[in-house]
Amino acid sequence: MAFTQITPKMIEAQVLPGQRLYSQRGAMLAYRGEVAFTPDLMGGQGGVMSAIGRRVRGEAAPLMTVEGNGTVMFGHGGHEVHLVHLTGETLHVEADRLLAFEGTLRQGTVFLGSQGGVMGLVRGQATGQGLFTTTLQGQGSVAVLAHGGVLELAVTPDRAVNVDPQAYVAHRGDLRNRLTTALGWRDMVGRGSGEAFQLELSGHGTVYVQASEAKL
């Protein structure tokens, strides 16, 4: 694993010759050794057209490429950092929650409508997360940002998990998402529970939930 947790809000990355890391621009806190930081204009492995398309929609977090020989400390905005190690599966995560990830991972973009039809589109509009989400797939580590730390919840075929959309951070595995609603007349007049929408994840995998409904 390229990343080591130093504090709940800071990680250290080992950078080796011939290897590459990606991180949010401005996330470097300190470094040792001969390390170079360059803007990533290609959108990681997603390609230039993917990067341009997402920036037009305001749904891409600018990245930088990290290369050389040394160690780098990353953090951002005082948010908690959670490490996820992938062993071939796919991680779905909002772009602005990506702190850093190894260059061994393949980056892509998924249209939410393809993961839940019309309700996938509703989810994007209702949660403010946009209509696209970032995917990372392969062997490697990812550092994600969250408010108040992250809880990992297992999802099994016989037990779905319902999450407040604002508390959702990421998920991995063979999961389907569906936005459900408990909207009734009390919600319409402002006397409801405040939990009118929930994101239901079913299948087999893991969902990552932050201890807050605050956006980054």
Side-chain angles (χ1 to χ4, degrees), residues 24-36:
Q24 275 198 31
R25 293 187 201 174
M28 186 275 291
L29 302 176
Y31 71 92
R32 302 184 185 95
E34 299 296 324
V35 183

Side-chain angles (χ1 to χ4, degrees), residues 94-171:
E94 300 307 311
D96 60 356
R97 294 188 180 274
L98 272 177
L99 176 65
F101 59 94
E102 292 187 70
T104 54
L105 296 172
R106 295 186 296 277
Q107 183 185 7
T109 302
V110 170
F111 183 51
L112 283 180
S114 69
Q115 288 203 326
V118 173
M119 292 309 292
L121 300 178
V122 174
R123 171 194 157 192
Q125 296 295 335
T127 65
Q129 294 174 355
L131 302 181
F132 293 78
T133 192
T134 297
T135 61
L136 295 169
Q137 194 269 334
Q139 298 268 351
S141 299
V142 185
V144 299
L145 297 167
H147 280 282
V150 169
L151 178 66
E152 298 185 11
L153 298 176
V155 182
T156 60
D158 60 342
R159 178 168 293 184
V161 172
N162 290 274
V163 177
D164 185 306
Q166 302 297 349
Y168 168 86
V169 173
H171 74 265

Side-chain angles (χ1 to χ4, degrees), residues 9 75-80 146:
K9 300 181 181 181
H76 184 69
H79 302 304
E80 282 78 5

Side-chain angles (χ1 to χ4, degrees), residues 170-189:
H171 74 265
R172 67 174 176 176
D174 184 18
L175 294 182
R176 298 173 300 279
N177 70 73
R178 183 172 69 95
L179 192 73
T180 62
T181 178
L183 193 65
W185 71 270
R186 290 182 180 273
D187 300 277
M188 298 297 291
V189 298

